[in-house]
Each structure stands twice: as structure tokens, then as C-alpha cells.
Amino acid sequence: MLTVKKLALSTLISSALLLYPSLQVLANTPQHVVEQQAGGYRVQVGDIIVTSFTDGSVAQDLHKLLRRTTPQKIDALLAKNFQTNPAEVSINAFLIAMPGHKILVDTGSGQLFGPGNGGRLIESLASQGIKPQDITEILLTHVHSDHAGGLVKDGKPVFSNARVFVGKPEIDFFFNEDNQKKTGYGQNYFDVAQKTLKPYLDAGKVVPFSGTSEILPGITGTVHPGHTPGSAFYTLASKGEKITFVGDIIHAAAVQFPQPDVTITYDEDQNKAARVREEAFAGFVRNKDLVAAPHLPFPGIGYVTKGENGGYGWVPVTYTNRDASSAE
């Protein structure tokens, strides 16, 4: 069982809870948006410290983005979670601290979303005394802008000492323009992938992998095509404990946990993306796995639970605020 040992900030998500039909929840419940400070949320997995960092958050119009549902159904599920559309979506990145390694899982959006929308990862890292040059490896779950955007600033590499691990199908797909014509997937996705990865490719610092591979001691990468052709999970194992970093198998917690068949416009293959989510959620429930997700409310670390009518829920790790030595 994982033990939370450091000061943290946790947000409770009630995605799996169904209200009694007689209870009415107003659809226009205020969002209570306030300015937040950068910071980190630490948990210990075996001998390894994992820290969640915020890159900020962005508002997403779920009516326009979600597929296989309706605006009415979206609003009803959001209301049960005291949310309204557009919904606020977190951008989280994660740091794995191992002897001789500071490993970053995803890099946030960098400059790509413009001022005030994400791009706060470097600030968050600095709050814990971590500089970009301290990062030794980067594990990309995929090459969309809010995951790979932080790799570059003004066209130059931000993490000058880091090797970048990425699913090989990402490179094969996004660096071949014929695939855009064949699939109709947005040209912007190809532009972002090439803009962010090319400086590292030119420097010989990209390490592609296929299938399931142990990419670093105690860390396994597995390609799960659907959201993108090379979308990857990364699993860290230490002393009988583990945590899996899942990438974009979920964006809208209030909707996609209770209705995992709902997809999003960003998915390159809608059918595969829905299948990956269902299979992953079922496995996480069965094995009681700890999960780290980039778009669940910060810190995005917790457990998937079984809900009603084929749906799922989410339980964030418990907030703990005391000296680590007293947590034994």
C-alpha cells in the first residue's frame, strides 16, 4: 500500500457518485476560479519520490470537444460534480527522482497556448529548486502541444541535458506528412510534433521505443495507440509498489469516468482510444493500481474505482501534512 509522506494539495473528484433523482443541482454553479501558486505534490512509491507539478489549467468547451454524447448529457454530468461548461482542465507533469536521474513525465504546454494558459512548469520546478538542466530524461506520453510544448522555447531545447523517450509510432506518424492526408488528422498536430521534437532529434537525444520495453531501471514504457499512434503509459515499480503514468486516456473526469465510451476530438482513432480507456480502467480497478494522469485536477494522482452502470470513479490520494518520520 502506498504511503503519502510529504506536504501536498489534493482535489476531491466525485465523478463516480450519482445523486438521487429527487435532488436538484444547478447547472450554473460558480466555478470559484482563483489564482493558484506553483508547487509540488510528493508521494513515495517504494524507495522513489514522485512529485506532481502543475503547468497551469485551461478552460475546455466540452460541448464542442467531446464525442459520442450530447451537450445535455454533458451538462447533467458536470452539474453532478458542481461544474459547468466550459470546464477547467489541469495540465500536470510528474518528476521521478532516482539516484543519478531526475526524470520528467511530460513537459506541459510551454509557449504554445499563449500567456495565461499553461506554461508554468518551469516556475513550478523552480519552486522545488529544480532547474531545466537538472532533468536527465523526459518520458513523453505523446507529442501533443500540452505534453511536448515545454520541450522548446523560441525554437531551442529547454532541457539541454535530457534524453527524450517517446513511442516510436509517434515519430513514424507525425514526421510523415502523407499520414495527415491519409487520416485527415489536424495539420497542427503534425506541426507541433515536428517543432518540439526536431531539436532533440537533431541532437541525437530522442530514444524511441516500441511495444513494451524497460526503458530505465524500474521503469517500463508501453505503447497504447488510440489517442495518438504512439501514446504511451509509463510504469514505475519499486519495492513492490508501482505507479502508472497514463497520458491522455481521460480529459473530462466528470463525463468520461461514468461514461468511458465518450471520446474527444483530440483522439486520432476514436474507437481505439475508447477501448484503451476501458481496458486500462478495468485493469487499474482490478489491480488497485496507483495512477498519475495529466488532465485530472491537480495533483492528478489517485485510484480508479468501479462505479455504476459500467462506469468508473476516481479517488485522489489522501492529503497528508505532517513530518514524514511520523507517518511510519
Side-chain angles (χ1 to χ4, degrees):
M1 188 68 177
L2 176 137
T3 303
V4 179
K5 292 190 175 181
K6 294 291 182 178
L7 178 64
L9 171 67
S10 180
T11 302
L12 178 63
I13 309 168
S14 57
S15 300
L17 300 180
L18 298 176
L19 300 180
Y20 293 106
S22 59
L23 297 180
Q24 298 297 315
V25 180
L26 296 179
N28 61 349
T29 304
Q31 301 286 55
H32 305 293
V33 176
V34 295
E35 178 70 12
Q36 304 289 347
Q37 294 182 348
Y41 178 115
R42 294 183 181 182
V43 299
Q44 186 161 335
V45 180
D47 288 334
I48 309 300
I49 296 295
V50 175
T51 307
S52 175
F53 287 101
T54 177
D55 187 58
S57 63
V58 293
Q60 297 276 275
D61 187 342
L62 301 184
H63 290 174
K64 293 182 178 179
L65 293 173
L66 295 184
R67 298 184 178 181
R68 303 181 178 184
T69 186
T70 66
Q72 293 76 20
K73 291 179 180 179
I74 291 170
D75 288 343
L77 289 169
L78 287 174
K80 290 179 179 180
N81 287 261
F82 298 94
Q83 298 175 23
T84 58
N85 189 65
E88 201 71 18
V89 175
S90 291
I91 306 173
N92 308 317
F94 306 92
L95 183 76
I96 303 169
M98 298 169 59
H101 299 270
K102 283 186 170 61
I103 305 161
L104 197 58
V105 182
D106 287 338
T107 66
S109 61
Q111 299 172 310
L112 299 187
F113 284 175
N117 295 296
R120 301 187 66 179
L121 178 59
I122 300 303
E123 174 189 354
S124 294
L125 290 170
S127 73
Q128 304 294 312
I130 301 168
K131 302 174 183 178
Q133 57 265 35
D134 297 333
I135 303 301
T136 55
E137 290 90 12
I138 294 168
L139 313 182
L140 283 184
T141 60
H142 60 296
V143 295
H144 280 170
S145 55
D146 50 335
H147 301 264
L151 284 173
V152 296
K153 183 178 182 180
D154 299 326
K156 297 180 180 179
V158 171
F159 303 97
S160 55
N161 295 321
R163 293 184 297 159
V164 179
F165 291 81
V166 63
K168 186 176 181 295
E170 292 289 273
I171 298 172
D172 295 342
F173 184 78
F174 288 109
F175 279 77
N176 184 342
E177 292 291 341
D178 288 341
N179 289 323
Q180 196 283 322
K181 299 179 180 66
K182 291 176 183 177
T183 64
Y185 200 47
Q187 180 64 47
N188 59 305
Y189 299 118
F190 291 79
D191 295 341
V192 165
Q194 294 170 28
K195 177 180 181 179
T196 57
L197 272 184
K198 191 174 187 303
Y200 293 85
L201 282 165
D202 290 346
K205 291 188 173 182
V206 174
V207 184
F209 66 92
S210 302
T212 298
S213 304
E214 184 177 35
I215 57 176
L216 290 165
I219 299 178
T220 300
T222 306
V223 175
H224 294 273
H227 182 61
T228 62
S231 286
F233 292 3
Y234 297 95
T235 299
L236 164 69
S238 175
K239 291 292 185 69
E241 297 180 351
K242 66 179 180 177
I243 183 171
T244 299
F245 305 87
V246 297
D248 280 5
I249 62 170
I250 185 166
H251 292 80
V255 178
Q256 290 178 295
F257 273 125
Q259 296 185 350
D261 57 322
V262 173
T263 58
I264 196 164
T265 301
Y266 309 136
D267 293 331
E268 190 273 324
D269 188 313
Q270 302 287 312
N271 291 331
K272 285 184 179 179
R275 187 161 59 248
V276 165
R277 177 166 43 259
E278 174 62 42
E279 291 175 353
F281 284 178
F284 295 148
V285 170
R286 182 171 58 253
N287 299 320
K288 299 181 180 179
D289 289 337
L290 185 66
V291 174
H295 295 312
L296 296 184
F298 182 82
I301 300 175
Y303 298 89
V304 179
T305 61
K306 190 64 178 174
E308 297 183 14
N309 301 317
Y312 295 88
W314 175 252
V315 177
V317 286
T318 302
Y319 174 84
T320 302
N321 183 4
R322 56 187 169 119
D323 188 278
S325 62
S326 67
E328 299 295 341

